[in-house]
C-alpha cells in the first residue's frame, strides 16, 4: 500500500527550518543577546512553578515559529489528545499509553475498553497506602514478630531506575529509621552486597517486574527467597510476611509463590520507563509515606495538564522537545547532557537515560519506513559541580556540540553556610561560559602570552537550557519527571516514531538464553556461534573448570 503520510523531511515546515538554519548556523549567541537586550526574559517560559530559560539556545523568534509549525504539521496536538483519550498509540504492541492516568485525581475518568482506569488506579493507590502505613508504623510484623526495618526493591530497568532515582531525590522526606536498598544487576554481587548487613527477620523484599518474567529480577527474586528461608528457619510461610510483588502478571506472581493478596497491580498501558508513579513506586511510598507520594502525583498531574492544554509556544515540554529536535537534527548534536545541580538528583541522569533512549532510540517510523534523519540523542550526565571537574572541558572546548540541561533548585533543603549560593553561582556561570565563551581579544587583554591564546579561547555558542524549581519537594519531582516524559513524547511525535515499544532489547535477551546452557552444562556440545563468540565461550568454560 502506498505510504500517504509525507516524510518528515519533505514537510514544508522542515524545509523552512533547513533554510532558516543556513541563516543562523554561523550566528553567535553573543550577537543574539546583543541584538535583543530582553532575550533572557522573553525566551523564558514558566508554568506550574517550573521555570525554563531556553534563551541560550541558538534560536530566534522565527525558529520558534517554525518549530511550532513543524509540531502542528506533525500532528503533535492530535497525538497528545489521543494519548490522554487512551487510544492505542503504542501501535506495535497494540497498547494504550496512559501513564497520565496514574496521576489523575480521584473522580477523573479515562475509559479503556469500557473500564474507568482512574478508578482502578486509586483502588491500588489506596491498597498501597494501607500497606505502607502498616509497615511504616510497625503494625506489619515479620515472620518472627519483628517490625520491618529494611526494604529491598528487586527490579531492573523501569522497575528499578525510577524507584532508585525517586528514593534518592526524596531522601530528605524519607523515614530515616528504615533502610532502602535496590537490587537490579544479575551479577550476584549486587544481591550479596545489598543484603550482607541486613537481618532477614526485619527485611521486606518488593519483587518489582511488569512482566514477572525478566531474567535478572526472577533470578534475584529467587535468591531473595532462599536468603529469607535460610535466615528464617526454612518455613515457607515466612515468605508471605517478607515478600510482596508489583506486577501486571498475577499468574506468574502466584507461580513464584507470592500470595496474590500481597501483589500490587499495574497495567499493560503503563510502560516500564513510565511506571515510577504506579505501584512500581511502592518503595518510594514506603520511604516517604502515602501523603508525600500523593503530592508527587499531583506534581505529575499539574505538568500533564499544562502539556495537554498550553499553546506550544508557552508549553514547557513541547518547547524542550522541539529544541531537542532543532539541536539534534539541524545542528547535528548527537548527545545531550543533563546536569542537575542538586545532590539529591544524582540518579536523575541514569533514570533519564532509560526514559529518553529506550523511548526514542528508534530508526523506523510508525509506518515502518527507515528514518532519513537522526532521532533520539545519547543522554548522559552527572550532578554538578562534580561534572565540572571531569567532562565539562570537552563541552567547553571540545569539537562536539553538546546541548546541556542545567537543573537547579532556588531553595536548598539543607542550608549550610555559603554552600547554596556557591552551588547556584556555578550553574549560572557554566551556562554563561558555554554561551558566551571568551574571545582572543579578551584573552589577550588579560595579558596572556600569545602562544597560549588559542588554548585559552572559549568559542562559546554552546546551547543550554536552565530549569529552575523552587525547592526539591515530591511535587516538584513529579513536575520535573513529567516535563521530560512529555518532551520525549514531543520529539517522538515529530520524528513519527513509537516512543513506547523497545524491541531493540529483545535480541540480546534471546541470545543470552541460548548461551546459558552452553556455560552451565559440562556436557554441552561445542558452541556453534561465530568464531569470536565460540572462542569466548570456550575460554569461560576452561576458566570454570581450571
Ligand atoms: O529491558 C527492557 C525492559 O522491558 C524495560 O523496558 C523494562 O523497564 C525492563 O525491561 C524491566 O521489565 P520488567 O518490569 O517486566 O521486569
Amino acid at each position: 500500500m502506498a505510504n500517504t503520510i509525507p516524510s518528515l523531511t519533505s514537510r514544508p515546515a522542515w524545509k523552512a527550518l533547513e533554510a532558516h538554519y543556513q541563516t543562523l548556523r554561523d550566528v553567535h549567541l553573543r550577537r543574539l543577546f546583543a541584538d535583543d537586550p530582553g532575550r533572557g526574559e522573553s525566551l523564558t517560559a514558566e508554568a506550574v512553578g517550573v521555570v525554563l530559560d531556553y534563551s541560550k539556545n541558538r534560536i530566534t523568534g522565527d525558529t520558534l515559529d517554525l518549530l511550532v509549525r513543524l509540531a502542528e504539521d506533525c500532528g503533535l496536538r492530535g497525538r497528545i489528545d489521543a494519548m490522554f483519550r487512551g487510544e492505542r498509540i503504542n501501535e506495535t504492541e497494540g497498547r494504550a499509553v496512559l501513564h497520565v492516568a496514574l496521576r489523575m485525581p480521584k473522580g477523573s475518568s479515562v475509559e479503556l475498553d469500557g473500564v474507568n482506569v482512574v478508578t482502578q488506579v486509586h483502588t491500588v493507590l489506596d491498597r498501597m497506602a494501607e500497606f505502607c502505613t502498616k509497615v511504616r508504623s510497625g503494625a506489619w510484623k515479620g515472620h518472627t514478630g519483628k517490625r520491618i526495618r529494611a526494604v529491598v526493591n528487586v527490579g531492573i530497568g523501569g522497575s528499578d531506575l525510577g524507584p532508585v532515582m525517586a528514593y534518592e531525590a526524596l531522601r530528605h522526606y524519607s523515614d530515616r529509621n528504615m533502610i532502602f536498598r535496590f537490587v537490579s544487576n544479575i551479577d550476584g554481587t549486587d544481591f550479596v552486597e545489598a543484603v550482607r548487613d541486613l537481618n532477614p527477620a526485619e527485611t521486606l523484599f518488593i519483587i518489582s517486574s511488569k512482566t514477572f518474567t525478566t531474567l535478572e529480577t526472577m533470578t534475584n527474586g529467587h535468591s531473595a527467597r532462599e536468603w529469607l528461608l535460610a535466615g528464617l528457619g526454612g518455613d515457607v510461610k515466612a515468605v508471605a510476611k517478607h515478600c510482596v510483588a508489583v506486577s501486571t502478571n498475577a499468574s506468574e506472581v502466584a507461580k513464584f509463590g507470592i500470595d496474590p493478596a500481597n501483589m500490587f497491580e499495574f497495567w499493560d498501558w503503563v510502560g516500564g520507563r513510565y511506571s515510577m508513579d504506579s505501584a512500581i513506586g511502592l518503595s518510594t511510598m514506603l520511604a516517604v509515606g502515602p501523603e508525600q507520594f500523593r503530592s508527587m502525583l499531583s506534581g505529575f498531574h499539574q505538568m500533564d495538564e499544562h502539556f495537554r492544554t498550553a499553546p506550544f509556544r508557552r508549553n514547557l515540554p513541547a518547547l524542550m522537545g522541539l529544541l531537542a529536535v532543532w539541536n539534534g537534527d539541524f545542528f547535528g548534536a548527537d548527545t545531550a547532557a543533563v546536569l542537575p545541580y542538586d545532590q539529591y538528583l544524582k540518579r536523575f541522569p541514569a533514570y533519564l537515560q532509560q526514559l529518553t533512549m529506550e523511548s526514542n532510540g528508534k530508526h523506523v517510523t510508525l509506518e515502518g519506513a527507515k528514518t532519513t534523519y537522526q532521532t533520539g540523542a545519547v543522554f548522559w550526565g552527572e550532578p554538578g559541580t562534580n561534572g565540572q571537574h571531569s567532562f565539562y572541558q570537552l563541552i567547553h572546548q571540545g569539537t562536539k556540540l553538546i546541548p546541556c540541561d542545567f537543573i537547579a533548585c532556588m531553595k536548598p533543603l539543607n542550608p549550610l553556610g555559603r554552600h547554596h549560593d556557591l552551588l547556584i553561582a556555578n550553574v549560572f556561570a557554566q551556562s554563561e561560559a558555554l554561551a558566551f565563551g571568551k574571545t582572543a581579544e579578551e584573552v589577550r587583554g588579560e595579558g596572556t602570552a600569545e602562544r597560549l591564546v588559542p588554548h585559552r579561547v572559549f568559542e562559546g555558542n554552546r546551547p543550554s537550557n536552565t530549569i529552575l524549581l523552587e525547592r526539591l519537594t515530591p511535587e516538584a519531582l513529579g513536575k520535573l519527571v513529567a516535563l521530560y516524559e512529555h518532551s520525549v513524547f514531543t520529539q517522538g511525535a515529530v520524528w513519527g516514531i513509537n516512543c513506547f515499544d523497545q524491541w531493540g532489547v529483545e535480541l540480546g535477551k534471546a541470545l543470552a538464553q541460548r548461551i546459558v546452557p552452553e556455560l552451565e552444562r559440562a556436557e554441552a556440545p561445542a558452541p556453534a556461534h561465530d568464531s569470536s563468540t565460540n572462542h569466548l565461550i570456550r575460554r569461560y568454560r576452561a576458566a570454570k573448570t581450571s
Side-chain angles (χ1 to χ4, degrees), residues 75-279:
L76 176 60
R77 177 65 58 207
R79 300 288 297 166
I80 296 172
D81 291 344
M83 172 167 73
F84 278 81
R85 269 200 306 270
E87 282 178 29
R88 288 186 157 73
I89 60 168
N90 176 357
E91 291 174 19
T92 58
E93 295 181 319
R95 290 178 183 166
V97 174
L98 272 174
H99 45 276
V100 292
L102 295 170
R103 47 262 194 158
M104 286 183 184
K106 244 183 198 157
S108 317
S109 170
V110 178
E111 294 241 333
L112 188 64
D113 300 328
V115 174
N116 181 3
V117 298
V118 184
T119 311
Q120 292 180 308
V121 164
H122 282 276
T123 304
V124 174
L125 275 174
D126 290 345
R127 279 190 61 225
M128 287 166 65
E130 195 189 326
F131 173 72
C132 291
T133 304
K134 274 193 202 153
V135 173
R136 285 164 60 86
S137 68
W140 179 281
K141 301 273 188 267
H143 183 62
T144 63
K146 292 192 165 175
R147 66 182 291 173
I148 298 298
R149 300 257 174 224
V151 174
V152 183
N153 186 75
V154 177
I156 197 163
S159 302
D160 168 70
L161 289 162
V164 179
M165 182 278 287
Y167 170 68
E168 292 294 344
L170 302 180
R171 210 168 180 164
H172 184 76
Y173 307 88
S174 70
D175 183 341
R176 301 303 174 116
N177 294 315
M178 293 177 76
I179 296 169
F180 288 83
R181 301 265 164 84
F182 299 85
V183 174
S184 54
N185 201 327
I186 200 159
D187 182 341
T189 299
D190 202 9
F191 182 84
V192 169
E193 287 292 342
V195 299
R196 71 179 316 129
D197 58 347
L198 300 185
N199 176 356
E202 298 178 341
T203 301
L204 175 79
F205 287 94
I206 307 175
I207 316 294
S208 298
S209 174
K210 180 173 167 178
T211 54
F212 233 73
T213 55
T214 305
L215 182 69
E216 291 88 341
T217 303
M218 292 306 101
T219 308
N220 281 319
H222 282 289
S223 297
R225 206 166 181 275
E226 279 158 30
W227 182 82
L228 282 172
L229 290 176
L232 294 171
D235 182 353
V236 286
K237 287 209 293 295
V239 176
K241 291 284 170 201
H242 295 269
C243 260
V244 298
V246 177
S247 188
T248 59
N249 192 341
S251 62
E252 284 298 326
V253 169
K255 267 194 230 157
F256 183 91
I258 293 180
D259 184 349
N262 292 341
M263 167 177 154
F264 298 88
E265 187 191 7
F266 65 117
W267 306 271
D268 76 353
W269 42 262
V270 183
R273 52 193 174 275
Y274 298 87
S275 67
M276 60 169 276
D277 46 342
S278 71

Side-chain angles (χ1 to χ4, degrees), residues 11 68-82 312 489-490 493-494:
R11 288 183 186 279
V68 166
R69 224 173 86 197
L70 181 69
E72 283 159 358
D73 274 13
C74 294
L76 176 60
R77 177 65 58 207
R79 300 288 297 166
I80 296 172
D81 291 344
F312 295 148
F489 183 89
T490 299
V494 170

Side-chain angles (χ1 to χ4, degrees), residues 389-405:
H389 298 274
S390 160
F391 52 77
Y392 276 41
Q393 167 63 34
L394 187 145
I395 305 181
H396 281 289
Q397 285 190 314
T399 53
K400 298 181 170 45
L401 188 75
I402 302 174
C404 298
D405 285 351

